[in-house]
Amino acid sequence: MPLLRTIAAAGLMLAAGGPFGAALAAPQVERLRGTIERVEGDAVTIRTRAGTTETVRLAAGTRVAQLAPASLDDVKDGSFIGTAAKAGPKPGDPPVALEVLIFPEALRGAGEGHYPWDRLPDGAASGPVETSMTNGTVKAPEVETSMTNGTVGAPSVETSMTNGTVAGAPGAGRTLTVSYKGQSLAVAVPPGTPIVRLEPADRAVLVPGAKVFASAVRDGDHLEARSVSVGKDGLTPPM
């Protein structure tokens, strides 16, 4: 029995860390950003931002979509979004969004959660920075209210008129509260942050020269796309 237990333990160690482990390891998910060089049948070749070339196979279940320009005003209470963000400027500050993606209702719940993301370009830092991704539902901030019951009078009062710019108007920054899996996170969205909307599309949008963001599973030398998102009208996917 001790010998059998030793053999079994050795087998488990090999499966976890040796060549057998490599064979049993889960396929690795990779995120590719770049430009389509060519499309041949079910294969798309992407020239990545790093200058490498990767060929990605399209499976029957590969989701193809377009990314269209949007604005912060398109993010409503109840919108399901994803946002890649960097750490705030000071400890305790909310993370700062580098982009916001608005999902269609059909994809509500996709990738829900808060997790590490990739190093992304950040003009404010003159280079790439570490980011996290938060996918969840935008929640309108709660406000304190009060109720007063009584008789309404109608006294004459002095009034004034003020014409000006409303805080939070188009082009202004905003803080979004994103709820996910019973938790929530405040994310600051500065003016000028790229906001895009995910739109369903078919493979006809996969053409040479298109800017793409692809999520693919690598199994050895084989890359199979889970999703490919194409920037609409030359837009560069910001995520």
Side-chain angles (χ1 to χ4, degrees), residues 185-198:
L185 180 70
V187 180
V189 186
T193 301
I195 315 290
V196 294
R197 181 188 302 278
L198 194 68

Side-chain angles (χ1 to χ4, degrees), residues 84-87 96 98 115-121 129-133:
K86 64 179 181 179
V96 178
L98 296 181
Y115 37 86
W117 196 239
D118 300 333
R119 290 176 62 84
L120 294 180
V129 294
E130 297 290 341
T131 66
S132 62
M133 176 62 72

Side-chain angles (χ1 to χ4, degrees), residues 20 29 54 66 68 85 99 152 156:
F20 295 104
V29 177
E54 298 283 2
Q66 280 194 127
E99 58 85 30
V152 177
S156 298

Side-chain angles (χ1 to χ4, degrees), residues 53-149:
T53 300
E54 298 283 2
T55 298
V56 181
R57 301 288 173 183
L58 305 177
T62 300
R63 177 178 57 79
V64 177
Q66 280 194 127
L67 293 167
S71 76
L72 199 50
D73 289 340
D74 296 320
V75 180
K76 310 294 186 183
D77 181 28
S79 294
F80 189 83
I81 68 164
T83 177
K86 64 179 181 179
K90 297 186 300 230
D93 285 351
V96 178
L98 296 181
E99 58 85 30
V100 175
L101 168 67
I102 306 170
F103 284 93
E105 190 60 30
L107 289 177
R108 176 175 293 275
E112 184 174 7
H114 175 75
Y115 37 86
W117 196 239
D118 300 333
R119 290 176 62 84
L120 294 180
D122 176 22
S126 301
V129 294
E130 297 290 341
T131 66
S132 62
M133 176 62 72
T134 305
N135 283 15
T137 302
V138 175
K139 182 179 178 182
E142 296 181 357
V143 296
E144 296 292 333
T145 63
S146 63
M147 174 65 75
T148 304
N149 291 348

Side-chain angles (χ1 to χ4, degrees), residues 198-225:
L198 194 68
E199 299 178 345
D202 57 31
R203 296 186 182 184
V205 301
L206 303 177
V207 295
K211 308 293 185 182
V212 295
F213 169 80
S215 175
V217 175
R218 183 179 293 279
D219 190 358
D221 293 331
H222 183 76
L223 270 174
E224 184 173 295

